[in-house]
Amino acid sequence: MSEETPSDQTLANLSREERRFEPPAELAEHANLRAEAYDRAASDREAFWAEQAERLAWDQKWDRVLDWDDPPFAKWFAGGKLNAAYNCVDRHVEAGNGDKVAFHWVGEPADDTRTLTYAQMKDEVCKAANALTELGVKTGDRVAIYLPMIPEAVVAMLACARIGAPHTVVFGGFSSDALASRLTDCQAKVVVTSDGGYRRGAPSALKPAVDEARAKTAENGFSVEKVLVVRRTGQEVDWDDSVDVWWHDAVDSASTEHACEFFDAEHPLYVMYTSGTTGKPKGILHTTAGYLVGSAYTHWAVFDLKPETDVFWCTADIGWVTGHSYIVYGPMANGATQVLYEGTPDSPERGRWWKIIEEYGVTIFYTAPTAIRSFMKQGREIPDRHDMSSLRLLGSVGEPINPEAYVWYRSVVGGDRTPVVDTWWQTETGSIMISPLPGVTAGKPGSAMTPIPGVAAEVVNDEGEPVPNGSGGYLVLTEPWPSMLRTLWGDDERFKETYWSRFNKQGYYFAGDGAKKDEDGDIWVLGRVDDVMNVSGHRLSTTEIESALVSHPKVAEAAVVGAKDEDTGQAVCAFVILREEAGDGGDDIVEELRNHVRKEIGAIAKPRQIMIVAELPKTRSGKIMRRLLRDVAENREVGDVTTLADSSVMDLISSGLASGK
Ligand code: WT7
């Protein structure tokens, strides 16, 4: 560690110190959004959003900014007509920016790169739109996308948007079971996938999971009609001529001419599945205009995007909402130049990300705290080998960023120059809700600060009353916003019940997070207050993992908790009671169960730890007391056990674990 850099101890002290980082003068002077915007937006929220909607190209302007006559079902920009793909590609080409780079794509294998201009993206999107139509996809049909981080993923999404077919992108790390349940839930007509992708230098198959998922959906009496397959790795694939179609056959030969149709503002744009408190993932529905307004506005305001000079890089996978809003829709609606990277941060070398920043002159970088913490662990020598002076702004998303990680990020990656925007939002909110404004806010390490102009948030108590500064409570959004989810796919009741009925207050959106307002009224998000875990910035449901465990023939009962983890924020810890006939389960029982969860859901859900126990702590009404299990998982003294039906259970668990049984 060199002398100028603060030691870990200093960093820890800094975070205790109420240090604030003022915006750099230069950035403040030229900032896209100024302090006055807060008052302007608060005094006439709808007028403010109407102003933001002007950043899009409309075939027909709206009649009404917000229709909130039937809450919680909102309509934004009703009467307006537009096409999301036209906004993301065509209009930039028409404005003379066709030669501008849309993506510097960096493949995982070294030297496997592609540059795509906006004109090229437009041609590819038009070709893919024609190919999808040829495959029978019509406006309103759902198309699933299960791809690695290759340009075709972006092309496929925009092609769907262009023809008004809502897409549902399923993260490539999800299992065939997870894919099958999503395909069935939204009745996808076509799946776009690839033979495989690259993972740490080696090809890794994807197509077999689609084949398996298709077989499973067929068992449920539903069938996917066509599978469009990109050739990425060249590996062998099973082929069914009646269903499978190569992308290079269907798309490459298609016409680059495609007249786009304009859709209603509220036309469904996509469904993104996310874990809830029950075993069944929720299909979050986003619609066209409001979502595009929200993602474009926030990308411009929070990242201070200057499309002529900035190079933006968001490291999220397109399979998550962050990739949808801050790789595809927000940045492309804004005509940004971006880096799109296929691989992992440390392959083939640990400095791969920093090398990419140096090589492409990345100016704005957006990533997750879990990644930052893992780089911190590797030490600053690795980033220090690279010239990252192009960076002018850093962003964080996915989980609370601990002050040490914030300070390290700002100092080591940002060379002590760059503001860090800690952005709080969710799949449901569609775009950033709470964040510093880089040219306005003096940032506090660890705080997402205040709602951005146009957004209204509060921290409330059980009765829905705002808590005073210095206190904690539940995070709520108190006014509708354009990029809000419209419903859960096929389940209006669950939509109302999950988000809008927690408080006896009309129109309060319950986010599921706990938060604190500090003495200045700034917001510190503390994490989920429901049975949802946050592992490496990914949302996982305890119930979903419990169901996966219980589906194993040797398991009688399971309880899952999220335990604090230094690297991943939280980690999945499972307590399992085996069936009597399974005996002690065998030597490899823990590994067997971990792999079972991986197979059922995906590698991200694989428990860090599984503890085989004889009993689970339950209340008299039979509810599992996860709080006590969390104490065990986090090696703490077990808390109050007086509400347990059988108060000796915790002793049994602790002694059983100590003796290795
Ligand atoms: C949950 C949403 C939308 C981004 C990717 C995750 C947590 C997200 C922050 C932040 C503290 C955060 C919350 C939220 N979260 N960003 N800056 N500070 N917590 O999307 O899977 O829908 O998860 O992630 O708990 O509810 P998601």
Side-chain angles (χ1 to χ4, degrees), residues 606-628:
K606 196 172 166 182
R608 177 188 76 183
Q609 204 178 357
I610 293 183
M611 292 170 256
I612 309 291
V613 294
E615 294 285 352
L616 288 171
K618 289 185 186 156
T619 60
R620 279 171 206 96
S621 61
K623 202 170 151 23
I624 293 173
M625 291 191 69
R626 290 204 176 75
R627 169 173 65 80
L628 300 176

mmCIF file of all heavy atoms in Angstrom, residues 606-628:
data_model
loop_
_atom_site.group_PDB
_atom_site.id
_atom_site.type_symbol
_atom_site.label_atom_id
_atom_site.label_comp_id
_atom_site.label_asym_id
_atom_site.label_seq_id
_atom_site.Cartn_x
_atom_site.Cartn_y
_atom_site.Cartn_z
ATOM 1 N N LYS A 606 -27.525 -21.174 -4.578
ATOM 2 C CA LYS A 606 -26.874 -22.280 -3.873
ATOM 3 C C LYS A 606 -26.497 -21.857 -2.457
ATOM 4 O O LYS A 606 -25.771 -20.876 -2.274
ATOM 5 C CB LYS A 606 -25.606 -22.651 -4.673
ATOM 6 C CG LYS A 606 -25.018 -23.987 -4.321
ATOM 7 C CD LYS A 606 -23.896 -24.324 -5.308
ATOM 8 C CE LYS A 606 -23.071 -25.470 -4.766
ATOM 9 N NZ LYS A 606 -21.955 -25.820 -5.643
ATOM 10 N N PRO A 607 -26.986 -22.563 -1.419
ATOM 11 C CA PRO A 607 -26.690 -22.115 -0.059
ATOM 12 C C PRO A 607 -25.191 -22.142 0.250
ATOM 13 O O PRO A 607 -24.480 -23.044 -0.168
ATOM 14 C CB PRO A 607 -27.426 -23.126 0.825
ATOM 15 C CG PRO A 607 -28.484 -23.706 -0.040
ATOM 16 C CD PRO A 607 -27.907 -23.709 -1.426
ATOM 17 N N ARG A 608 -24.760 -21.115 0.998
ATOM 18 C CA ARG A 608 -23.378 -21.092 1.455
ATOM 19 C C ARG A 608 -23.191 -22.196 2.482
ATOM 20 O O ARG A 608 -22.154 -22.831 2.575
ATOM 21 C CB ARG A 608 -23.096 -19.734 2.107
ATOM 22 C CG ARG A 608 -21.701 -19.610 2.705
ATOM 23 C CD ARG A 608 -21.524 -18.332 3.502
ATOM 24 N NE ARG A 608 -22.174 -18.407 4.801
ATOM 25 C CZ ARG A 608 -22.214 -17.383 5.682
ATOM 26 N NH1 ARG A 608 -21.659 -16.231 5.373
ATOM 27 N NH2 ARG A 608 -22.819 -17.525 6.837
ATOM 28 N N GLN A 609 -24.244 -22.434 3.245
ATOM 29 C CA GLN A 609 -24.152 -23.303 4.388
ATOM 30 C C GLN A 609 -25.477 -24.039 4.542
ATOM 31 O O GLN A 609 -26.544 -23.438 4.414
ATOM 32 C CB GLN A 609 -23.964 -22.395 5.596
ATOM 33 C CG GLN A 609 -23.307 -22.985 6.780
ATOM 34 C CD GLN A 609 -23.179 -21.900 7.857
ATOM 35 O OE1 GLN A 609 -23.543 -20.738 7.659
ATOM 36 N NE2 GLN A 609 -22.689 -22.296 9.002
ATOM 37 N N ILE A 610 -25.379 -25.362 4.797
ATOM 38 C CA ILE A 610 -26.604 -26.093 5.134
ATOM 39 C C ILE A 610 -26.356 -26.791 6.456
ATOM 40 O O ILE A 610 -25.342 -27.478 6.621
ATOM 41 C CB ILE A 610 -26.975 -27.114 4.043
ATOM 42 C CG1 ILE A 610 -27.370 -26.381 2.755
ATOM 43 C CG2 ILE A 610 -28.123 -28.014 4.514
ATOM 44 C CD1 ILE A 610 -27.830 -27.275 1.627
ATOM 45 N N MET A 611 -27.252 -26.594 7.405
ATOM 46 C CA MET A 611 -27.095 -27.249 8.697
ATOM 47 C C MET A 611 -28.211 -28.269 8.865
ATOM 48 O O MET A 611 -29.392 -27.922 8.719
ATOM 49 C CB MET A 611 -27.116 -26.203 9.811
ATOM 50 C CG MET A 611 -25.852 -25.331 9.738
ATOM 51 S SD MET A 611 -25.921 -23.897 10.808
ATOM 52 C CE MET A 611 -26.260 -22.618 9.609
ATOM 53 N N ILE A 612 -27.812 -29.499 9.091
ATOM 54 C CA ILE A 612 -28.805 -30.549 9.300
ATOM 55 C C ILE A 612 -29.198 -30.519 10.776
ATOM 56 O O ILE A 612 -28.330 -30.618 11.648
ATOM 57 C CB ILE A 612 -28.224 -31.938 8.943
ATOM 58 C CG1 ILE A 612 -27.594 -31.914 7.541
ATOM 59 C CG2 ILE A 612 -29.277 -33.036 9.077
ATOM 60 C CD1 ILE A 612 -28.556 -31.778 6.400
ATOM 61 N N VAL A 613 -30.466 -30.337 11.048
ATOM 62 C CA VAL A 613 -30.918 -30.202 12.437
ATOM 63 C C VAL A 613 -32.074 -31.170 12.714
ATOM 64 O O VAL A 613 -32.675 -31.724 11.780
ATOM 65 C CB VAL A 613 -31.385 -28.749 12.731
ATOM 66 C CG1 VAL A 613 -30.222 -27.783 12.648
ATOM 67 C CG2 VAL A 613 -32.495 -28.330 11.777
ATOM 68 N N ALA A 614 -32.362 -31.349 13.994
ATOM 69 C CA ALA A 614 -33.433 -32.271 14.372
ATOM 70 C C ALA A 614 -34.776 -31.558 14.480
ATOM 71 O O ALA A 614 -35.838 -32.152 14.300
ATOM 72 C CB ALA A 614 -33.089 -32.948 15.693
ATOM 73 N N GLU A 615 -34.720 -30.261 14.775
ATOM 74 C CA GLU A 615 -35.953 -29.489 14.976
ATOM 75 C C GLU A 615 -35.768 -28.092 14.408
ATOM 76 O O GLU A 615 -34.639 -27.628 14.242
ATOM 77 C CB GLU A 615 -36.223 -29.309 16.486
ATOM 78 C CG GLU A 615 -36.545 -30.553 17.260
ATOM 79 C CD GLU A 615 -37.951 -31.068 17.005
ATOM 80 O OE1 GLU A 615 -38.727 -30.359 16.335
ATOM 81 O OE2 GLU A 615 -38.258 -32.174 17.481
ATOM 82 N N LEU A 616 -36.883 -27.403 14.188
ATOM 83 C CA LEU A 616 -36.813 -25.987 13.807
ATOM 84 C C LEU A 616 -37.584 -25.172 14.841
ATOM 85 O O LEU A 616 -38.602 -25.636 15.362
ATOM 86 C CB LEU A 616 -37.431 -25.780 12.421
ATOM 87 C CG LEU A 616 -36.614 -26.323 11.244
ATOM 88 C CD1 LEU A 616 -37.432 -26.249 9.956
ATOM 89 C CD2 LEU A 616 -35.302 -25.553 11.073
ATOM 90 N N PRO A 617 -37.112 -23.966 15.125
ATOM 91 C CA PRO A 617 -37.808 -23.153 16.126
ATOM 92 C C PRO A 617 -39.109 -22.586 15.554
ATOM 93 O O PRO A 617 -39.097 -21.914 14.527
ATOM 94 C CB PRO A 617 -36.807 -22.023 16.397
ATOM 95 C CG PRO A 617 -35.975 -21.936 15.156
ATOM 96 C CD PRO A 617 -35.944 -23.291 14.544
ATOM 97 N N LYS A 618 -40.213 -22.891 16.215
ATOM 98 C CA LYS A 618 -41.504 -22.404 15.718
ATOM 99 C C LYS A 618 -42.297 -21.741 16.829
ATOM 100 O O LYS A 618 -42.183 -22.118 17.990
ATOM 101 C CB LYS A 618 -42.312 -23.569 15.165
ATOM 102 C CG LYS A 618 -41.745 -24.085 13.865
ATOM 103 C CD LYS A 618 -42.612 -25.153 13.277
ATOM 104 C CE LYS A 618 -41.934 -25.735 12.051
ATOM 105 N NZ LYS A 618 -42.378 -27.066 11.757
ATOM 106 N N THR A 619 -43.130 -20.811 16.422
ATOM 107 C CA THR A 619 -44.039 -20.193 17.388
ATOM 108 C C THR A 619 -45.193 -21.164 17.627
ATOM 109 O O THR A 619 -45.344 -22.151 16.907
ATOM 110 C CB THR A 619 -44.651 -18.886 16.843
ATOM 111 O OG1 THR A 619 -45.370 -19.225 15.650
ATOM 112 C CG2 THR A 619 -43.585 -17.869 16.515
ATOM 113 N N ARG A 620 -46.048 -20.818 18.575
ATOM 114 C CA ARG A 620 -47.188 -21.702 18.855
ATOM 115 C C ARG A 620 -48.093 -21.836 17.643
ATOM 116 O O ARG A 620 -48.729 -22.855 17.441
ATOM 117 C CB ARG A 620 -47.957 -21.201 20.080
ATOM 118 C CG ARG A 620 -47.269 -21.633 21.360
ATOM 119 C CD ARG A 620 -47.834 -20.993 22.607
ATOM 120 N NE ARG A 620 -46.775 -20.962 23.614
ATOM 121 C CZ ARG A 620 -45.995 -19.922 23.848
ATOM 122 N NH1 ARG A 620 -46.175 -18.792 23.188
ATOM 123 N NH2 ARG A 620 -45.029 -19.982 24.728
ATOM 124 N N SER A 621 -48.120 -20.806 16.820
ATOM 125 C CA SER A 621 -48.963 -20.911 15.626
ATOM 126 C C SER A 621 -48.221 -21.588 14.466
ATOM 127 O O SER A 621 -48.720 -21.641 13.345
ATOM 128 C CB SER A 621 -49.446 -19.525 15.214
ATOM 129 O OG SER A 621 -48.330 -18.712 14.904
ATOM 130 N N GLY A 622 -47.028 -22.077 14.731
ATOM 131 C CA GLY A 622 -46.318 -22.864 13.712
ATOM 132 C C GLY A 622 -45.443 -22.056 12.774
ATOM 133 O O GLY A 622 -44.911 -22.575 11.794
ATOM 134 N N LYS A 623 -45.270 -20.776 13.041
ATOM 135 C CA LYS A 623 -44.433 -19.951 12.165
ATOM 136 C C LYS A 623 -42.967 -20.131 12.557
ATOM 137 O O LYS A 623 -42.625 -20.057 13.745
ATOM 138 C CB LYS A 623 -44.848 -18.482 12.333
ATOM 139 C CG LYS A 623 -44.471 -17.618 11.165
ATOM 140 C CD LYS A 623 -45.142 -16.248 11.310
ATOM 141 C CE LYS A 623 -44.431 -15.093 10.689
ATOM 142 N NZ LYS A 623 -43.511 -15.179 9.651
ATOM 143 N N ILE A 624 -42.128 -20.362 11.548
ATOM 144 C CA ILE A 624 -40.704 -20.532 11.836
ATOM 145 C C ILE A 624 -40.100 -19.197 12.278
ATOM 146 O O ILE A 624 -40.323 -18.169 11.627
ATOM 147 C CB ILE A 624 -39.944 -21.047 10.594
ATOM 148 C CG1 ILE A 624 -40.404 -22.467 10.280
ATOM 149 C CG2 ILE A 624 -38.432 -21.020 10.807
ATOM 150 C CD1 ILE A 624 -39.862 -23.021 8.990
ATOM 151 N N MET A 625 -39.362 -19.218 13.384
ATOM 152 C CA MET A 625 -38.745 -17.974 13.862
ATOM 153 C C MET A 625 -37.360 -17.803 13.241
ATOM 154 O O MET A 625 -36.354 -18.223 13.796
ATOM 155 C CB MET A 625 -38.683 -17.961 15.381
ATOM 156 C CG MET A 625 -40.083 -17.848 15.982
ATOM 157 S SD MET A 625 -40.035 -17.522 17.735
ATOM 158 C CE MET A 625 -39.393 -15.855 17.802
ATOM 159 N N ARG A 626 -37.360 -17.179 12.084
ATOM 160 C CA ARG A 626 -36.110 -17.034 11.330
ATOM 161 C C ARG A 626 -35.090 -16.176 12.064
ATOM 162 O O ARG A 626 -33.895 -16.347 11.899
ATOM 163 C CB ARG A 626 -36.397 -16.439 9.960
ATOM 164 C CG ARG A 626 -37.124 -17.404 9.062
ATOM 165 C CD ARG A 626 -36.899 -17.063 7.595
ATOM 166 N NE ARG A 626 -37.526 -18.071 6.756
ATOM 167 C CZ ARG A 626 -38.834 -18.149 6.552
ATOM 168 N NH1 ARG A 626 -39.638 -17.280 7.116
ATOM 169 N NH2 ARG A 626 -39.332 -19.097 5.793
ATOM 170 N N ARG A 627 -35.600 -15.265 12.889
ATOM 171 C CA ARG A 627 -34.709 -14.387 13.642
ATOM 172 C C ARG A 627 -33.717 -15.213 14.476
ATOM 173 O O ARG A 627 -32.532 -14.912 14.529
ATOM 174 C CB ARG A 627 -35.578 -13.500 14.549
ATOM 175 C CG ARG A 627 -34.853 -12.709 15.594
ATOM 176 C CD ARG A 627 -35.809 -11.753 16.313
ATOM 177 N NE ARG A 627 -36.859 -12.428 17.094
ATOM 178 C CZ ARG A 627 -36.680 -12.957 18.314
ATOM 179 N NH1 ARG A 627 -35.493 -12.924 18.874
ATOM 180 N NH2 ARG A 627 -37.674 -13.544 18.955
ATOM 181 N N LEU A 628 -34.222 -16.284 15.079
ATOM 182 C CA LEU A 628 -33.354 -17.108 15.924
ATOM 183 C C LEU A 628 -32.358 -17.889 15.069
ATOM 184 O O LEU A 628 -31.197 -18.071 15.437
ATOM 185 C CB LEU A 628 -34.200 -18.066 16.768
ATOM 186 C CG LEU A 628 -35.197 -17.381 17.717
ATOM 187 C CD1 LEU A 628 -36.056 -18.412 18.424
ATOM 188 C CD2 LEU A 628 -34.455 -16.521 18.735
#
